[in-house]
Amino acid sequence: RDRGIRRLTALPWPSVHVLLHTVLPGVLCGLVVLAIAWRSQTTAFVAMLFLLVGANSNIRWIQDVSLTGRWGALSAVAFSVVWTLPLRWRARPQRGLGAVLAAFLVYALVSTAWSSSPHWTLMRTVSFGVLLWAVFAGVRPALTEPTESRRLARGIVVLLVAVVAASMAYWLVDPAAAAPANQLRGVFLNPAYLALLIGLTYPLVLAQFDGLPRRGYVALSLATAIASIVVITLCQSRAGLAAFVLAALAYEISRGGVLRAVVPLVAVGLCAAMFHYWHPSLTSASRAPFVSPANLVVGPRAPGQSKISALLSGRDEVWGATTDLIGRRPLAGYGFGTGDKLLKEVAERLGRCLR
């Protein structure tokens, strides 16, 4: 008996600290999201999005909780699909698309055999497969009901408003952390994340104005567009600016509102004129120059970088440096989900950070 007790105590049992910081958040978040999914699949999906945003936060305690909690939430959304089988059957999902996604996941799983990082490939394949199952088999069929579609759109808009409000409040409380290098990143790790969230979700904000009189719609859409462009410009994100313009034009034109598509362009022009003369300093200690929208389109240039490379954000250097990597394994590749590790090696070779 004593020998057995010694063997049990010698095992690498997780400490209380590990359980509290890694296991408990995932279990609690999973149970909460599972309870939400019992009432609404799309609301549970929005709750999972909140945790995914938190996992990319620069606030340490939010990131620590969300990094573990997102797996519990994702597992809960995927598991909740079990009791929505009748709904998914009535929705008649596209079997062709399902077959393509299944074939891709099989390939990603098989690529573990020759991956440069097998553990990383296996982990990302499983997580990506669970996410596809949750979206394709659970959330997508639920969106065939108009009530669920509107609920998902409102939920994402609530997420957007909460993130932007929290980012601005964080900037007022701690400007150095929320706007390093004179770029507004708010609660995110990267300024581009905040700008892309605003740009990509802008059509969902416009959808909330449907049913209003024409003048009311134009006035609200113009005010929303100006506020969005101001925040995106403070983030100094070219990707966010492009996402906003393309998403706004695609939404308005697809709905037959060709004349209303002028509204976001007018907002971009007004903001470009304002920031051409006004170069704000987001932090008192920052010496980084503010990049106006006109120069933002061209792209900031690093020392010794050509204009073409600045316009392409250094992608031409990445393409040139990865040519030999592709030549070594032109067919098999390096395994699913290993691109960021390979880019890190390329960055070390170039001696600069690649975003």
Side-chain angles (χ1 to χ4, degrees):
R1 185 184 64 181
D2 294 340
R3 186 181 303 169
I5 293 176
R6 285 195 299 270
R7 288 180 178 178
L8 286 175
T9 54
L11 292 175
W13 296 104
S15 63
V16 176
H17 176 80
V18 173
L19 289 175
L20 290 177
H21 287 78
T22 59
V23 179
L24 188 59
V27 173
L28 291 179
C29 291
L31 292 176
V32 171
V33 173
L34 192 62
I36 296 174
W38 180 264
R39 300 294 301 274
S40 172
Q41 198 92 35
T42 53
T43 305
F45 184 73
V46 173
M48 185 187 70
L49 292 180
F50 268 94
L51 289 170
L52 291 178
V53 168
N56 291 283
S57 174
N58 65 71
I59 303 176
R60 185 60 182 273
W61 67 270
I62 295 179
Q63 185 187 50
D64 290 342
V65 173
S66 301
L67 281 173
T68 304
R70 61 178 177 172
W71 298 114
L74 178 59
S75 301
V77 173
F79 178 75
S80 65
V81 175
V82 173
W83 64 67
T84 61
L85 288 175
L87 175 63
R88 292 187 292 109
W89 179 258
R90 291 196 305 268
R92 296 181 182 179
Q94 299 177 2
R95 292 179 176 82
L97 178 60
V100 171
L101 295 176
F104 174 76
L105 287 176
V106 170
Y107 165 76
L109 186 62
V110 173
S111 70
T112 307
W114 61 78
S115 172
S116 59
S117 180
H119 174 74
W120 198 250
T121 297
L122 181 62
M123 184 179 66
R124 289 199 165 180
T125 300
V126 172
S127 61
F128 188 62
V130 174
L131 179 61
L132 284 180
W133 166 258
V135 174
F136 183 74
V139 178
R140 179 183 171 274
L143 295 181
T144 57
E145 296 185 358
T147 303
E148 291 297 314
S149 298
R150 290 192 293 269
R151 182 176 295 172
L152 178 62
R154 286 195 299 267
I156 295 178
V157 171
V158 170
L159 169 66
L160 171 65
V161 173
V163 170
V164 173
S167 296
M168 300 306 293
Y170 188 42
W171 171 53
L172 294 175
V173 173
D174 191 353
N182 211 25
Q183 289 180 287
L184 179 66
R185 66 176 184 178
V187 297
F188 281 105
L189 287 169
N190 193 314
Y193 296 166
L194 177 59
L196 284 172
L197 178 65
I198 295 172
L200 294 175
T201 57
Y202 179 71
L204 297 179
V205 177
L206 292 180
Q208 308 306 309
F209 303 150
D210 283 346
L212 294 176
R214 184 173 181 178
R215 290 184 178 180
Y217 180 91
V218 171
L220 283 177
S221 62
L222 179 61
T224 305
I226 291 176
S228 301
I229 293 297
V230 167
V231 178
I232 291 174
T233 305
L234 294 178
C235 295
Q236 299 188 34
S237 171
R238 183 170 48 178
L241 183 62
F244 173 85
V245 173
L246 293 177
L249 293 180
Y251 178 81
E252 296 290 13
I253 294 175
S254 65
R255 293 175 61 85
V258 179
L259 294 179
R260 293 191 306 192
V262 179
V263 173
L265 298 180
V266 171
V268 171
L270 291 175
C271 293
M274 179 180 68
F275 284 107
H276 178 75
Y277 296 100
W278 178 49
H279 298 165
S281 179
L282 302 182
T283 59
S284 58
S286 177
R287 297 181 180 178
F290 182 82
V291 181
S292 62
N295 293 330
L296 188 63
V297 173
V298 179
R301 293 177 61 185
Q305 191 178 29
S306 64
K307 293 183 179 180
I308 296 297
S309 182
L311 181 63
L312 297 175
S313 299
R315 288 178 176 84
D316 57 326
E317 297 176 339
V318 177
W319 298 332
T322 54
T323 300
D324 58 335
L325 294 175
I326 298 174
R328 295 174 192 171
R329 299 183 182 181
L331 298 179
Y334 292 84
F336 174 73
T338 59
D340 51 351
K341 289 184 174 294
L342 294 175
L343 278 180
K344 185 177 180 181
E345 297 177 2
V346 174
E348 294 175 352
R349 191 178 313 170
L350 292 174
R352 69 175 63 182
C353 178
L354 300 177
R355 293 180 293 175

